[in-house]
Amino acid sequence: MGESFVNIGEILQSLRKYKGMSLADLAEDICTVEELTLIEKNKQVPTIDELFRLANKLNVNLSDFFDFTSADSMSYVSAVSGLIKKFKRDRNYQAIYEIVQREKKNPLFNFPSSKQFLHWHEAICLYYLADSNNRNKQSSISMLIEAIELTNPSKKGLTEQEIEIKMSIALIEKDDQCFEKAITLLKEILDDMEKLPSLSDPQVKLRALFGLAQSLTRIEKYDESLKYCEKGIQQCINDEILYLLGEFLYQAGLNYKHIGKIELSRETLNKSLQVFKLQEKENLTKLVEKELEKIPS
């Protein structure tokens, strides 16, 4: 058990009793009573998501679980960053926005890279939370450029976090149907990644490859899109991860259909279907099933 969690159980139990809540009251909709009992006894470590919800129910700040006079302050920054990343995977931009607004006033986020992290995610939220007809793309992109400049005014020799921010710009361009701009940026991003000694998160490259594959399909460059689909599929296999594997297979299946390779399209879409079923992604499963129905037998 990591040092940053040593006192969490005691703090939770103390706050729960102070608020006059039973174990069942606090655990409801968050975890089981048995799990909460183990957490309070420091025999089980809560996930950051669980901790966030427990803090909300107790009406305290997440930071109350961390000792800011020790090195654990960085554990708090990491915990909040991890929670934001989780909500980003779920596309829960409202939750991200609320966290960002709260933490902007927190002195722990005054360090350049931490301030950059919040500025980056605020820009994303302002774009995706706006009504599709009222989105101010340029304002969000300007904020993302400002975020990069907080740590790298020259915008040369980008770090991994700076590359991810640049990728957010590319994905906004893609979502705004500006596919040529997105493709140019994403190809630059792949070059930026090659200059790094390594990537701490290999999923970053997968996101760039998938954004490229999608954008190229949209401008009818199916063969080139297939090239990036294959790179993504191969990386998923090499890294032994399912992340975006189903999506790459689906995109490849669409490309094969467009270039007239019907049997290969059906085969690839079926592989995609198997992955989505394994991941229990119902919406994507239905999407592939509908696409398979369109393919002539």
Side-chain angles (χ1 to χ4, degrees):
M1 185 180 296
E3 289 182 5
S4 60
F5 291 104
V6 168
N7 296 314
I8 282 179
E10 294 173 18
I11 294 168
L12 271 175
Q13 187 179 66
S14 175
L15 283 168
R16 177 177 62 76
K17 289 181 177 179
Y18 175 74
K19 301 281 183 178
M21 298 174 73
S22 68
L23 282 162
D25 291 334
L26 183 55
E28 187 179 4
D29 297 327
I30 298 174
C31 60
T32 66
V33 170
E34 291 76 14
E35 286 170 335
L36 181 56
T37 301
L38 290 173
I39 290 169
E40 288 194 354
K41 291 179 178 178
N42 287 311
K43 292 182 178 180
Q44 181 169 313
V45 178
T47 66
I48 187 61
D49 188 33
E50 287 172 337
L51 194 55
F52 182 76
R53 290 194 285 164
L54 288 166
N56 273 347
K57 189 175 276 193
L58 290 163
N59 197 28
V60 295
N61 293 321
L62 189 61
S63 55
D64 292 343
F65 292 105
F66 296 83
D67 178 7
F68 290 162
T69 63
S70 73
D72 285 350
S73 61
M74 292 315 295
S75 298
Y76 176 73
V77 172
S78 297
V80 171
S81 300
L83 186 60
I84 287 174
K85 288 177 181 177
K86 177 193 178 298
F87 283 134
K88 187 163 65 173
R89 285 194 297 273
D90 297 337
R91 298 182 180 273
N92 190 343
Y93 298 110
Q94 186 60 47
I96 295 171
Y97 186 74
E98 289 169 7
I99 294 171
V100 169
Q101 295 311 303
R102 185 175 65 245
E103 300 301 339
K104 278 167 72 174
K105 300 171 186 175
N106 187 336
L108 289 176
F109 280 88
N110 281 340
F111 297 102
S113 62
S114 302
K115 186 183 289 186
Q116 179 184 64
F117 186 85
L118 292 184
H119 201 68
W120 164 26
H121 287 88
E122 183 174 22
I124 294 171
C125 290
L126 290 176
Y127 179 78
Y128 288 107
L129 286 175
D131 181 86
S132 57
N133 296 319
N134 296 309
R135 283 176 174 168
N136 191 335
K137 179 182 81 170
Q138 204 48 55
S139 176
S140 292
I141 288 176
S142 294
M143 281 185 69
L144 290 167
I145 292 169
E146 287 169 8
I148 295 173
E149 290 173 345
L150 281 172
T151 54
N152 190 342
S154 70
K155 298 189 286 294
K156 293 179 181 177
L158 302 182
T159 64
E160 187 168 333
Q161 178 161 293
E162 291 160 1
I163 288 170
E164 285 196 78
I165 298 169
K166 185 174 178 179
M167 184 146 59
S168 291
I169 297 173
L171 296 179
I172 284 175
E173 293 287 11
K174 176 180 74 70
D175 291 344
D176 197 49
Q177 313 291 304
C178 296
F179 300 113
E180 296 284 3
K181 285 184 181 179
I183 289 164
T184 299
L185 282 169
L186 288 164
K187 286 182 176 179
E188 286 178 10
I189 285 164
L190 288 175
D191 288 338
D192 292 333
M193 289 179 193
E194 289 300 318
K195 295 171 186 172
L196 294 176
S198 63
L199 284 171
S200 62
D201 180 5
Q203 294 182 358
V204 176
K205 186 173 182 180
L206 288 172
R207 288 195 289 274
L209 290 169
F210 186 61
L212 260 173
Q214 279 187 311
S215 299
L216 287 162
T217 298
R218 293 298 298 272
I219 61 170
E220 300 181 3
K221 293 190 175 181
Y222 306 120
D223 287 317
E224 190 176 358
S225 175
L226 273 168
K227 180 177 75 171
Y228 290 104
C229 287
E230 288 303 323
K231 285 185 178 181
I233 292 165
Q234 198 55 54
Q235 184 179 324
C236 289
I237 293 168
N238 291 343
D239 292 346
E240 298 181 340
I241 57 174
L242 288 177
Y243 179 74
L244 289 181
L245 177 58
E247 287 85 344
F248 278 117
L249 288 164
Y250 173 73
Q251 202 66 36
L254 293 183
N255 288 326
Y256 285 130
K257 177 187 171 184
H258 284 299
I259 61 176
K261 296 186 176 180
I262 302 303
E263 195 53 46
L264 199 49
S265 174
R266 185 186 293 106
E267 179 186 328
T268 309
L269 287 172
N270 273 313
K271 287 180 182 178
S272 170
L273 185 63
Q274 290 168 15
V275 174
F276 289 144
K277 283 182 176 179
L278 184 64
Q279 294 176 299
E280 298 182 347
K281 293 183 175 180
E282 291 184 15
N283 290 342
L284 291 173
T285 297
K286 289 175 183 176
L287 182 69
V288 180
E289 286 173 343
K290 287 180 180 178
E291 198 61 45
L292 281 165
E293 288 171 6
K294 298 175 189 175
I295 296 178
S297 55

